[in-house]
Amino acid sequence: MTFVLSLLQLVFPRLSYIISPILIIIILSIGQKFFIHDVKKMLLFMAFSLYLIAVFRITGLPDILHLKFNPRLQLIPFYGMHYDSLNCYLNIFLFIPFGLFLPVLWREFFSFRNTLLLSLGFTVFIELSQLFCNRITDVNDIITNTFGALIGFCICRIFTKSFPKLFRYKFKKREFLTIFGLPFLVVFFLDPFVYRFLKGVETLPGQIVSFIAYLSSTV
């Protein structure tokens, strides 16, 4: 019983990590009936949205409850990269899917220039957001993240002839804003409140176990 109680108390607050992705899937599933009628396209959008949630969480996107402007800057390109090669490799691998997804979702991003600009803009946004969460805004992260996205783009180009039907979706501004906006809104606004709520009621599993134990003792 003690093991079960400890397990429930460990898991309960962390349910916030799966509630947000589930919410994204529900919202996009509803949206599929109204403005995205291609099931395969919707599944790709869901996968990309879940990936973006993971990116926001891994890179430390601040949330509305913990905003604090505390700039810590490293603006010298390539400075210290050889001392932290592991972090550089992880940054590259983290953004390879970004470069893979873009041309698959929208054929306009089959352009190297378009993918480069969006990848650069997205990683700059992430680094600037770290000014508000006590993390280091590092130009090296911008370089490695963008490089990773371009690797993903090149991989996508290699497989173009094998999967020509993947690259047929035309860019739509509404879809673009939805796919990027939903993960941001969820992580920035929803995640902290869900976690705080679950953390606040983390004693509930213990109360449930105690109640079950009490019932068992009276039978």
Side-chain angles (χ1 to χ4, degrees):
M1 186 66 70
T2 302
F3 171 77
V4 174
L5 175 58
S6 300
L7 182 61
L8 288 174
Q9 289 177 332
L10 176 66
V11 171
F12 206 70
R14 289 162 178 79
L15 290 176
S16 59
Y17 293 114
I18 64 173
I19 289 177
S20 298
I22 290 174
L23 180 62
I24 288 284
I25 292 173
I26 292 174
I27 293 174
L28 290 179
S29 297
I30 296 173
Q32 190 265 335
K33 297 182 179 295
F34 296 99
F35 64 92
I36 303 177
H37 304 292
D38 188 312
V39 176
K40 292 181 180 179
K41 186 177 184 180
M42 177 56 64
L43 292 176
L44 286 171
F45 279 174
M46 286 182 180
F48 189 48
S49 294
L50 297 179
Y51 162 74
L52 290 178
I53 287 180
V55 170
F56 285 143
R57 287 173 172 171
I58 291 172
T59 56
L61 183 79
D63 61 65
I64 193 170
L65 297 181
H66 301 95
L67 284 176
K68 183 179 180 181
F69 185 67
N70 183 24
R72 301 168 61 196
L73 306 175
Q74 198 297 102
L75 302 179
I76 304 175
F78 305 107
Y79 177 77
M81 288 181 70
H82 59 290
Y83 292 116
D84 195 11
S85 57
L86 177 60
N87 183 62
C88 293
Y89 292 140
L90 292 176
N91 282 334
I92 291 172
F93 284 123
L94 179 63
F95 269 74
I96 288 178
F98 191 85
L100 281 168
F101 269 114
L102 287 180
V104 173
L105 291 172
W106 300 290
R107 62 174 180 250
E108 284 76 6
F109 287 100
F110 205 64
S111 159
F112 180 87
R113 175 179 173 273
N114 290 344
T115 299
L116 171 62
L117 290 177
L118 183 59
S119 301
L120 179 61
F122 183 64
T123 188
V124 167
F125 165 76
I126 290 177
E127 289 303 308
L128 291 178
S129 73
Q130 293 180 349
L131 294 171
F132 300 89
C133 63
N134 200 34
R135 298 188 63 165
I136 298 176
T137 298
D138 193 339
V139 68
N140 291 334
D141 291 344
I142 296 175
I143 294 171
T144 51
N145 289 344
T146 304
F147 182 63
L150 294 180
I151 291 177
F153 171 82
C154 293
I155 294 174
C156 190
R157 289 292 298 265
I158 292 173
F159 289 97
T160 301
K161 294 182 180 179
S162 301
F163 306 98
K165 292 184 178 180
L166 284 176
F167 313 99
R168 68 179 189 272
Y169 302 119
K170 187 176 180 180
F171 177 83
K172 294 181 180 179
K173 185 178 180 180
R174 179 174 58 181
E175 294 175 354
F176 179 83
L177 293 176
T178 299
I179 299 310
F180 277 86
L182 271 179
F184 170 78
L185 293 175
V186 164
V187 174
F188 185 75
F189 288 106
L190 181 64
D191 269 2
F193 290 104
V194 172
Y195 182 81
R196 174 172 286 190
F197 171 76
L198 293 174
K199 187 70 174 175
V201 296
E202 67 179 344
T203 58
L204 183 60
Q207 295 171 2
I208 294 174
V209 172
S210 299
F211 181 68
I212 294 174
Y214 170 75
L215 290 179
S216 300
S217 63
T218 58
V219 176

